[in-house]
Amino acid sequence: MFGVNVSPFLLSATIKLHIEKYREQHPATEMLGPCLYVDDIISGADDITQALKITKDADTIMKHASMKLHKWNSNVQTLMKTWVYEGLETHAHHSENNSRVQLSKVLGISWNVIHDYFTTDVKGLLELDTSKPITKRVILQ
């Protein structure tokens, strides 16, 4: 079915079905539905214990659907190490310009994992064709 127009919708519907199916057994995962974007889940937790519970429950639910969750990422190194110890596949961080700043992409937006903020590259805005009227559409392109 992949490659068909409705593939992202079908994937999302399948994931939501499994979240709903196991909601009573794994109540910590009720927040996964609203945090789902195609095949990415972006969320947070108040503490490491809650985050670990959510990730373990989400991993269990998706295993029942024969789907493997991977690229777990956090700005808390203790949680990252715990995920590795628990056998969860974490996201590999990379440094930009050989600096110590750890970057990750979240839906195409750069996330500074160490200092916990998002950045957007606006260099393209400086190269706008000013011969045309600058509209919102042009800016968003």
Side-chain angles (χ1 to χ4, degrees):
M1 289 300 294
F2 285 91
V4 179
N5 277 358
V6 295
S7 294
F9 169 77
L10 292 174
L11 175 62
S12 179
T14 302
I15 291 171
K16 286 180 181 183
L17 173 77
H18 282 278
I19 291 170
E20 191 60 39
K21 184 177 177 181
Y22 294 99
R23 186 177 301 262
E24 288 184 25
Q25 291 174 308
H26 304 286
T29 58
E30 73 180 52
M31 46 63 70
L32 292 179
C35 300
L36 184 67
Y37 181 77
V38 186
D39 62 348
D40 289 332
I41 298 171
I42 302 167
S43 184
D46 292 329
D47 57 46
I48 293 175
T49 306
Q50 183 184 14
L52 189 58
K53 172 92 173 108
I54 290 169
T55 53
K56 282 182 168 183
D57 287 353
D59 190 55
T60 300
I61 289 170
M62 292 300 107
K63 280 182 181 173
H64 286 289
S66 298
M67 296 181 194
K68 181 183 178 190
L69 295 178
H70 61 284
K71 296 184 190 175
W72 291 101
N73 203 350
S74 175
N75 60 332
V76 178
Q77 289 303 309
T78 306
L79 182 58
M80 293 288 287
K81 290 175 184 173
T82 305
W83 283 336
V84 170
Y85 178 77
E86 295 287 331
L88 295 171
E89 185 181 328
T90 58
H91 188 274
H93 295 291
H94 68 278
S95 295
E96 185 178 82
N97 301 329
N98 296 326
S99 66
R100 306 279 303 158
V101 177
Q102 298 291 311
L103 295 178
S104 183
K105 291 275 188 168
V106 178
L107 299 176
I109 299 173
S110 293
W111 173 34
N112 181 312
V113 179
I114 303 298
H115 300 290
D116 197 22
Y117 64 81
F118 293 101
T119 59
T120 304
D121 183 12
V122 293
K123 290 177 193 165
L125 291 175
L126 300 174
E127 299 168 4
L128 285 176
D129 182 5
T130 55
S131 65
K132 300 180 202 171
I134 299 176
T135 62
K136 287 186 247 180
R137 179 175 294 201
V138 170
I139 297 291
L140 292 173
Q141 287 174 344

